[in-house]
């Protein structure tokens, strides 16, 4: 029997992480935060002073890096044995991840690392190309989005609550720029799978999004 997969794709800041973690916990399924793989590679690349345009250099880093994911309530990620969790959420990490994620050979190397997360009793996978490229045979696919303004406002609130200084118009610009890069790249762009359910969470609470997805599974 195929191991069931629920894919949740969408742009950055749509709430995919929170929703996916909650749904995975409720179902007792595994969770793949594919963005954190691209983010971890970005951290490794920046550490090794490899240029973000040096595709062969980045591929080499991707092939040699060792990643460990520990997921209880919070995700803990170790890169070559070092805990890099606190660097994962930085805007600079996300932007660098989006740049290297546009390189086709880099995506190819990371494909199997993502598919390895498919284990019994099931997997919730969040990202940009989970339903289109990584798990095209997934039983249930969701495309979760929200307006760029709403996503920037949510991100702004998160940062301020953490005591991190933030600028709303700069965040909006960065989100729009990231959307453009993720959507317009040639390889595995951010796109809705033809068999996915579209959810716009702009005017929804996170709890109602979670409920809608759980109802879909039931
Ligand atoms: O979901 P996230 O914000 O953590 O992802 C960071 C970047 O990684 C995102 O801007 C593009 C890239 N990414 C990707 O290309 N494909 C995925 N499945 C997940 C992330």
């Amino acid at each position: 029997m195929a191991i069931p997969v629920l894919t949740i794709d969408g742009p950055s800041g749509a709430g995919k992480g929170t929703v996916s973690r909650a749904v995975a916990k409720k179902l007792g399924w595994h969770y793949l935060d594919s963005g954190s793989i691209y983010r971890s590679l970005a951290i490794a690349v920046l550490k090794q002073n490899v240029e973000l345009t040096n595709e062969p250099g980045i591929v080499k880093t991707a092939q040699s890096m060792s990643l460990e994911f520990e997921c209880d309530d919070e995700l803990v990620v170790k890169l070559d044995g070092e805990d890099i969790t606190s660097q994962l959420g930085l805007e600079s990490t996300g932007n660098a991840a989006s740049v290297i994620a546009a390189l086709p050979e880099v995506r190819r190397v990371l494909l199997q690392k993502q598919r390895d997360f498919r284990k019994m009793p099931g997997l919730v996978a969040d990202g940009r190309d989970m339903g289109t490229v990584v798990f095209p045979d997934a039983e249930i696919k969701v495309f979760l989005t929200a307006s760029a303004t709403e996503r920037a406002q949510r991100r702004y609130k998160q940062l301020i609550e953490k005591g991190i200084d933030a600028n709303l118009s700069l965040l909006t610009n960065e989100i729009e720029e990231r959307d453009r890069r993720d959507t317009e790249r040639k390889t595995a762009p951010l796109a809705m799978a033809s068999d996915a359910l579209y959810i716009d969470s702009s005017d929804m609470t996170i709890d109602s999004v979670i409920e809608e997805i759980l109802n879909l599974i039931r």
Side-chain angles (χ1 to χ4, degrees):
M1 196 185 83
I3 301 169
V5 182
L6 159 67
T7 59
I8 304 186
D9 288 305
S12 54
K16 300 188 302 286
T18 312
V19 168
S20 304
R21 264 194 299 276
V23 172
K25 198 164 181 187
K26 200 99 185 173
L27 296 172
W29 286 10
H30 299 278
Y31 168 54
L32 165 63
D33 171 1
S34 61
S36 71
I37 296 185
Y38 288 93
R39 285 172 184 263
S40 302
L41 176 58
I43 292 169
V45 161
L46 294 172
K47 262 204 178 90
Q48 294 174 9
N49 287 319
V50 177
E51 293 282 336
L52 295 183
T53 47
N54 175 357
E55 188 164 10
I58 299 171
V59 165
K60 220 167 132 192
T61 306
Q63 282 165 333
S64 63
M65 73 178 178
S66 126
L67 281 183
E68 291 163 68
F69 289 83
E70 290 155 25
C71 196
D72 265 332
D73 272 348
E74 293 288 323
L75 181 75
V76 172
V77 181
K78 288 186 182 161
L79 168 68
D80 299 325
E82 184 197 342
D83 186 343
I84 54 160
T85 315
S86 64
Q87 299 164 54
L88 278 180
L90 300 175
E91 301 304 310
S92 53
T93 305
N95 291 327
S98 165
V99 172
I100 60 171
L103 303 169
E105 210 38 38
V106 171
R107 301 197 74 85
R108 205 184 55 75
V109 170
L110 296 182
L111 199 57
Q112 195 55 46
K113 280 193 201 292
Q114 297 170 80
R115 289 188 175 149
D116 289 343
F117 278 76
R118 188 173 193 166
K119 292 195 180 123
M120 278 301 199
L123 175 70
V124 179
D126 113 41
R128 305 291 186 291
D129 61 343
M130 298 295 102
T132 51
V133 176
V134 183
F135 304 108
D137 62 333
E139 285 72 12
I140 313 155
K141 301 179 184 180
V142 170
F143 190 83
L144 181 62
T145 189
S147 69
T149 318
E150 176 62 27
R151 286 183 282 131
Q153 258 157 6
R154 289 179 191 168
R155 185 73 188 134
Y156 178 78
K157 220 173 123 209
Q158 268 175 3
L159 290 170
I160 296 296
E161 275 167 8
K162 281 190 199 159
I164 301 170
D165 204 17
N167 175 312
L168 186 58
S169 71
L170 198 69
L171 278 174
T172 311
N173 288 345
E174 279 183 358
I175 280 190
E176 284 171 347
E177 169 66 15
R178 187 117 71 92
D179 284 358
R180 193 190 54 70
R181 209 186 295 117
D182 294 347
T183 312
E184 292 180 2
R185 70 174 176 233
K186 289 213 176 65
T187 311
L190 168 64
M192 181 168 132
S194 56
D195 49 351
L197 171 79
Y198 180 88
I199 302 179
D200 183 336
S201 73
S202 302
D203 298 317
M204 290 171 81
T205 62
I206 287 289
D207 283 345
S208 56
V209 176
I210 294 168
E211 205 41 48
E212 185 164 342
I213 295 175
L214 286 172
N215 278 338
L216 190 72
I217 292 167
R218 286 183 199 120

